[in-house]
Amino acid sequence: MVDEQKTTEEIIFEAALSVFQRKGLAGARMQEIADEAGINKSMLHYYFRSKELLFKQVFIKSFKNFSASTIPIMNLELSWEEKIPLLVTHYLKAMQTRPDLPMFVINEMRYNPEDFLSNVSGNKIKDTVFFAQLWDGINKGTIRPIKPIQIVVSIISETVFPVIAKPMIQHMTKLQDTNWEEFIADREKVIPEMLIKYLKEF
Amino acid sequence: MVDEQKTTEEIIFEAALSVFQRKGLAGARMQEIADEAGINKSMLHYYFRSKELLFKQVFIKSFKNFSASTIPIMNLELSWEEKIPLLVTHYLKAMQTRPDLPMFVINEMRYNPEDFLSNVSGNKIKDTVFFAQLWDGINKGTIRPIKPIQIVVSIISETVFPVIAKPMIQHMTKLQDTNWEEFIADREKVIPEMLIKYLKEF
DNA sequence: ATATAGTTCAACCATTTGGTTGACAAATGA
DNA sequence: TCATTTGTCAACCAAATGGTTGAACTATAT
């Protein structure tokens, strides 16, 4: 593989990604981004003009990254029962590598609503094979007749929420760090079991 | 009832609660809190000394408010099957009235970890009647043998997450505002059904 | 070589922001 | 009544922060 040299712009963008995802728009400091990139603060403005523009690009990239990652899985050539555990595992693994990403996206989206994303096509979860499979089963009477969107939201909720709310849950339940891994491992089994059972037996 | 006069301190605290919950620690401005309280900015420092101290009090109050509200429900004299829909309804209703509260608590807890809460006793969800009932059923073989904490986390995840992630879900699924209420109403039925079925049939 | 365009940075600048001060009013109590 | 405490505010202040500038440096093309 070629040892491609990262351009200054790329270095800045990655540093911005890291700092914005960790601290949010209001909490992030241009100086901190410059420090993390190892360059002068003027460079940020030279390449991205303003904090707002830089944030906008970081935010759009983050949103796409989070929301688009599941589509390929939903379009695999597998049954819907096989896809549910895959999706659960995918989200739990994604949480492990980038725990700040979903929190960042959700959080900033309360303030920068459609504005920043007006040009970002809402990627069509509804047009995936997974969705079609669920509708098909419902029409054939083999799946409980509830809207498929409920299932998708449940999968995301059950996997993403516990990780972003980890400190709160730990404080509320006194769950130690050592037991946390076990707790997550359990969830990886429990969530698909529960969802599939609910959809198939009614 | 007595028309109690709110003290300046209380007025400030409520304004701070509102602004901090909406904007977070980094995003909140002392001037904005003063404006919302309708008093001079100096008053904030007169009564609370610094932004950090004011925030600390607001944060502790918010955390207690969120985490303690379910304990009474879990200790009601009802079967566990009856409590699950109650808990789901409780959380969904709480979300409706104070949509910013859980996001605020979860968000700020990533940065102000145990520090602020070291003196706040982690309220013992594990010591509720609800928990005892689940363990009891598990031991008797009438409930699927999974750790009760999984159920509690599922209830919170399934109810709280969709509401805090509403803008993101709406963008990802193109769900209109008019259909949102229906979506939430559906969840109020789906979540208890799913959890109870999973626990009882195995 | 040298002109041109792109890149980098130290030093500045204007505004915002948390926080302070001192004067003054309103209650409190002797 | 009058002295002391408590409450309120306009005007300031110092530090932080986003942003600008001008000069210097580098690479590339002619």
Side-chain angles (χ1 to χ4, degrees):
Chain A
M1 58 190 82
V2 187
D3 179 29
E4 287 198 26
Q5 195 80 344
K6 275 182 198 155
T7 67
T8 303
E9 188 169 344
E10 287 167 343
I11 293 172
I12 291 173
F13 190 79
E14 278 167 33
L17 206 72
S18 161
V19 173
F20 275 131
Q21 284 187 7
R22 250 183 300 119
K23 307 253 180 122
L25 172 57
R29 296 288 161 252
M30 294 297 268
Q31 188 58 58
E32 190 180 352
I33 295 173
D35 290 347
E36 191 155 324
I39 45 86
N40 189 282
K41 184 161 66 82
S42 314
M43 295 288 89
L44 306 190
H45 294 96
Y46 177 74
Y47 284 103
F48 297 92
R49 257 194 50 206
S50 71
K51 186 186 186 185
E52 196 185 336
L53 268 308
L54 177 54
F55 173 80
K56 189 169 172 171
Q57 294 199 33
V58 164
F59 179 67
I60 290 175
K61 168 109 177 192
S62 299
F63 178 81
K64 282 182 177 168
N65 191 299
F66 178 76
S67 67
S69 61
T70 80
I71 305 290
I73 297 174
M74 291 186 177
N75 284 329
L76 289 175
E77 289 200 19
L78 295 169
S79 67
W80 65 266
E81 296 104 310
E82 290 169 305
K83 283 176 189 173
I84 288 181
L86 282 186
L87 287 166
V88 168
T89 300
H90 164 78
Y91 274 114
L92 286 178
K93 193 149 283 171
M95 289 305 92
Q96 219 173 340
T97 55
R98 290 222 207 78
D100 288 330
L101 176 59
M103 194 62 177
F104 170 70
V105 171
I106 292 166
N107 211 15
E108 300 298 336
M109 221 158 158
R110 294 190 313 175
Y111 273 101
N112 319 300
E114 316 311 318
D115 258 44
F116 285 2
L117 295 171
S118 55
N119 47 344
V120 179
S121 72
N123 60 346
K124 293 122 185 164
I125 279 190
K126 284 186 172 174
D127 299 336
T128 56
V129 175
F130 182 65
F131 244 74
Q133 288 170 316
L134 290 180
W135 275 123
D136 192 50
I138 290 167
N139 290 332
K140 283 187 181 143
T142 57
I143 292 181
R144 181 190 293 258
I146 62 162
K147 301 210 179 65
I149 187 67
Q150 296 284 346
I151 300 305
V152 174
V153 170
S154 281
I155 292 173
I156 302 179
S157 301
E158 293 266 16
T159 52
V160 174
F161 185 83
V163 178
I164 67 178
K166 178 180 172 183
M168 191 187 69
I169 291 172
Q170 281 191 314
H171 192 95
M172 281 171 63
T173 65
K174 297 199 159 74
L175 200 63
Q176 301 302 313
D177 260 334
T178 36
N179 297 329
W180 183 259
E181 282 179 38
E182 185 193 338
F183 169 73
I184 294 295
D186 282 352
R187 282 196 90 64
E188 197 170 348
K189 277 180 22 191
V190 166
I191 298 166
E193 260 179 10
M194 181 166 64
L195 286 168
I196 292 172
K197 183 172 188 60
Y198 180 65
L199 287 173
K200 288 178 95 161
E201 301 172 20
F202 62 103
Chain B
M1 56 191 84
V2 187
D3 179 27
E4 287 198 27
Q5 195 83 342
K6 276 180 198 155
T7 67
T8 303
E9 188 169 345
E10 287 165 343
I11 292 172
I12 291 174
F13 190 80
E14 278 167 32
L17 207 71
S18 161
V19 174
F20 275 131
Q21 284 187 7
R22 252 184 298 119
K23 308 251 179 125
L25 172 57
R29 297 287 161 255
M30 294 296 268
Q31 187 58 59
E32 190 180 351
I33 295 173
D35 289 345
E36 191 156 321
I39 45 85
N40 189 283
K41 184 162 66 80
S42 312
M43 293 290 89
L44 306 190
H45 295 95
Y46 179 75
Y47 284 103
F48 297 91
R49 254 194 51 208
S50 71
K51 187 186 186 186
E52 197 186 334
L53 268 307
L54 177 54
F55 173 80
K56 190 168 172 171
Q57 293 199 33
V58 164
F59 179 68
I60 289 175
K61 168 108 177 192
S62 299
F63 178 81
K64 283 183 178 168
N65 191 300
F66 177 76
S67 66
S69 61
T70 81
I71 305 290
I73 298 174
M74 292 186 176
N75 285 329
L76 289 175
E77 290 201 18
L78 294 169
S79 68
W80 64 268
E81 296 104 310
E82 291 170 304
K83 283 175 187 174
I84 287 181
L86 282 187
L87 288 165
V88 168
T89 300
H90 164 78
Y91 274 114
L92 285 177
K93 193 148 283 171
M95 289 305 92
Q96 220 173 340
T97 55
R98 289 220 207 78
D100 289 329
L101 176 58
M103 195 63 179
F104 170 71
V105 171
I106 292 166
N107 211 16
E108 301 297 338
M109 221 157 159
R110 293 191 314 176
Y111 273 102
N112 319 299
E114 317 310 319
D115 258 43
F116 284 4
L117 295 171
S118 54
N119 48 344
V120 178
S121 73
N123 60 346
K124 293 123 186 163
I125 278 190
K126 284 187 170 172
D127 299 336
T128 57
V129 175
F130 182 65
F131 243 74
Q133 287 170 316
L134 290 180
W135 276 124
D136 192 50
I138 289 167
N139 290 332
K140 284 189 181 142
T142 57
I143 292 181
R144 180 189 293 258
I146 61 162
K147 300 210 179 65
I149 188 66
Q150 296 284 347
I151 300 305
V152 174
V153 170
S154 281
I155 292 173
I156 301 180
S157 302
E158 292 267 16
T159 52
V160 173
F161 184 84
V163 178
I164 66 177
K166 177 179 173 184
M168 190 187 69
I169 291 172
Q170 281 190 314
H171 192 94
M172 283 170 61
T173 65
K174 297 198 159 75
L175 201 63
Q176 301 302 315
D177 261 334
T178 35
N179 297 328
W180 183 260
E181 282 178 38
E182 186 194 336
F183 168 73
I184 294 296
D186 282 352
R187 282 196 89 65
E188 196 170 348
K189 276 179 26 192
V190 166
I191 298 166
E193 259 179 11
M194 181 165 64
L195 287 167
I196 291 171
K197 182 173 190 59
Y198 180 64
L199 287 174
K200 289 179 94 162
E201 301 172 21
F202 62 104

